Amino acid sequence: MGDLERFITRLTEANAVMNLIGPDTLPDVWNRHIWDSAQLLEHAPGAQTWADLGAGAGFPGIVLAIMLKTQPKSHVWLIDSLGKRCRFLQEVVDGLSLRATVLNGRAEDNAVTVEVVTARAVAPMEKLLGYAQPYLQRGATGLFLKGEKAEGEVAEARKVWQFKSNLSISRSDPRGRIVSVRGISRVKSW
């Protein structure tokens, strides 16, 4: 809990000078961001290695790294293409002594082998699956936090990608969905 509090303090300070999260979401940061991120652990019990694509403000990656901190074999890769967000993430990782690595670059160019790949508020499913493809093809399960249009996004993505999926209702907001994805290949066009 202490690490989560310290993370929220650092996030609030950094958010005042760069837009990491919507300022109107700060009063509900525990439910809107922390719990929303932490619930992913229930969907991959025992998973030790995670990659968070478009890590941004650290949701869900930093929260997962904090929650997994007591597990010696755990590691979270935080991948983001924007240098200033990566600097923020590195400050948090260093300040909280997290087992995490910050990678500055495109998600699809930094594909590491992990058990779970995550993303939150990065892109529509069709595009997100393109970013996650190298991870999914190496055997990772995708756990993507989506909003109330998740079903439509999955349907659109199926026009381009073949994959197995399951949608679960978010415990932090019943309008949200957690899209679990396994296996991926491009739809063949003749």
Side-chain angles (χ1 to χ4, degrees):
M1 291 303 290
D3 281 349
L4 289 170
E5 288 285 356
R6 285 186 283 282
F7 171 47
I8 290 169
T9 299
R10 181 64 192 111
L11 174 68
T12 303
E13 293 167 356
N15 207 54
V17 293
M18 66 175 162
N19 189 29
L20 292 167
I21 63 171
D24 58 324
T25 68
L26 277 171
D28 192 25
V29 71
W30 280 99
N31 187 59
R32 189 93 182 260
H33 300 292
I34 304 296
W35 174 231
D36 191 48
S37 298
Q39 70 179 319
L40 292 181
L41 291 171
E42 296 175 359
H43 292 267
Q48 296 290 309
T49 55
W50 300 68
D52 182 17
L53 311 184
F59 302 112
I62 291 288
V63 174
L64 295 169
I66 290 169
M67 302 296 288
L68 293 166
K69 191 173 180 178
T70 60
Q71 298 184 30
K73 293 183 179 180
S74 68
H75 198 86
V76 178
W77 279 265
L78 304 161
I79 305 166
D80 201 280
S81 62
L82 193 60
K84 68 180 180 178
R85 289 192 298 242
C86 287
R87 286 188 292 279
F88 163 75
L89 293 168
Q90 191 64 59
E91 287 175 19
V92 173
V93 166
D94 293 344
L96 299 177
S97 301
L98 300 176
R99 273 189 286 292
T101 301
V102 178
L103 297 174
N104 183 199
R106 297 173 53 87
E108 61 274 30
D109 296 337
N110 283 297
V112 292
T113 301
V114 294
E115 295 165 273
V116 182
V117 59
T118 67
R120 180 177 185 253
V122 171
M125 280 300 294
E126 178 187 333
K127 193 174 219 178
L128 178 56
L129 290 175
Y131 301 151
Q133 180 184 14
Y135 305 85
L136 295 168
Q137 287 181 327
R138 289 185 175 123
T141 296
L143 291 177
F144 306 119
L145 293 157
K146 290 298 203 171
E148 56 195 329
K149 297 179 182 176
E151 289 88 353
E153 285 190 36
V154 169
E156 283 298 309
R158 289 196 186 284
K159 294 176 182 176
V160 177
W161 301 102
Q162 290 179 337
F163 56 95
K164 295 177 185 172
S165 67
N166 182 50
L167 276 71
S168 303
I169 296 172
S170 170
R171 292 181 64 189
S172 65
D173 183 344
R175 296 170 299 175
R177 298 289 180 268
I178 298 167
V179 182
S180 176
V181 174
R182 297 247 346 133
I184 190 168
S185 62
R186 280 209 174 265
V187 172
K188 292 181 179 165
S189 59
W190 303 99

